[in-house]
Amino acid sequence: MTEPNMIEPDLTRTTAVTPRTVFGLRLPLAVATVVVIAAGAALLSPPHRLQGELVRLMYVHVPAAWTAFLAYGVTLVAGLVWLRRRTAVWDRLAASSAEAGVFFTGLAIVLGSIWGRPTWGVWWTWDARLVTTALLFFVYLGYLALRRAIDDPVARARRSAVFGVVAFAMVPLVHFSVLWWRTLHQPPSLLRPAAPAIGGGMLAALLLSVLAFTVLYVLVVRTRMRITAAEDAADAAESAGDRPVAGDAVTAPRGETE
């Protein structure tokens, strides 16, 4: 029995790749609206009684970390579905989501360092949460490097799917690191058994920021998937155009010269 292959791009359709087909119209408008509302709520929320205005970094740092976890969860699920169905769309979803996750993880690390400098007095410390988050970042950089190192699309999708499943074990490690070890980083404020340890106005602003980052993630992943699909279709069409046509090697017989 031969190994099932991924579905080839539809070469019969030659839709031009334009900003409208890549980004769409409704989703970007919805994302922009939610982002503006979330930014307004973050600016109007009350300052912290100890950190003052510095607490507004929370409205970007926490949603960035949450979105990274979401992205890696989607990569996990998409990889599992690909292992079962072997269709290219799930591999594209896994790859696009992992790219977004790496970006949001890096953003969370940078913002955490900026927040930690006036709070802890240092840009970086070997805290359990910080170290595990950095490891998470490099693990998924390895995932993306693995994808670039393999040319065969089926082998690339299969190995990446297995890698994505194993790599997701880092996500609960990062989340529970503040509970399993003594750290400088504060414990979870929202995802905890008890009630959220945050005031009503700040909680509403934080939830709106999480929603804004989530819809932004959806837009980024959808856009990346559309670009990848267009690139795959173009590569497949180019490969098909380079194939020799049957009969090209046959030449017409020459007439005898006198």
Side-chain angles (χ1 to χ4, degrees), residues 110-192:
V110 171
L111 293 172
S113 297
I114 295 174
W115 197 358
R117 180 64 178 87
T119 305
W120 298 337
V122 292
W123 294 101
W124 175 266
T125 182
W126 295 101
D127 178 85
R129 171 59 67 85
L130 274 65
V131 172
T132 53
T133 303
L135 288 176
L136 178 71
F137 178 76
F138 286 110
V139 164
Y140 278 92
L141 275 182
Y143 172 92
L144 298 179
L146 174 66
R147 298 191 62 90
R148 289 183 173 273
I150 303 174
D151 294 328
D152 181 71
V154 177
R156 178 176 62 238
R158 181 176 62 251
R159 296 177 188 178
S160 299
V162 174
F163 193 120
V165 171
V166 176
F168 188 77
M170 288 294 302
V171 172
L173 179 65
V174 173
H175 177 70
F176 291 108
S177 60
V178 292
L179 302 177
W180 293 343
W181 294 287
R182 298 171 65 103
T183 68
L184 289 174
H185 198 283
Q186 70 181 46
S189 299
L190 294 179
L191 299 179
R192 45 183 268 158

Side-chain angles (χ1 to χ4, degrees), residues 200-254:
M202 297 175 67
L203 177 60
L206 180 58
L207 291 177
L208 281 172
S209 297
V210 169
L211 176 61
F213 269 73
T214 302
V215 295
L216 178 61
Y217 156 80
V218 173
L219 175 62
V220 169
V221 171
R222 189 190 69 169
T223 301
R224 188 68 182 95
M225 288 183 65
R226 289 181 174 182
I227 293 174
T228 303
E231 291 173 347
D232 291 344
D235 292 341
E238 182 179 357
S239 299
D242 292 339
R243 295 174 184 171
V245 179
D248 279 354
V250 179
T251 58
R254 298 181 180 178

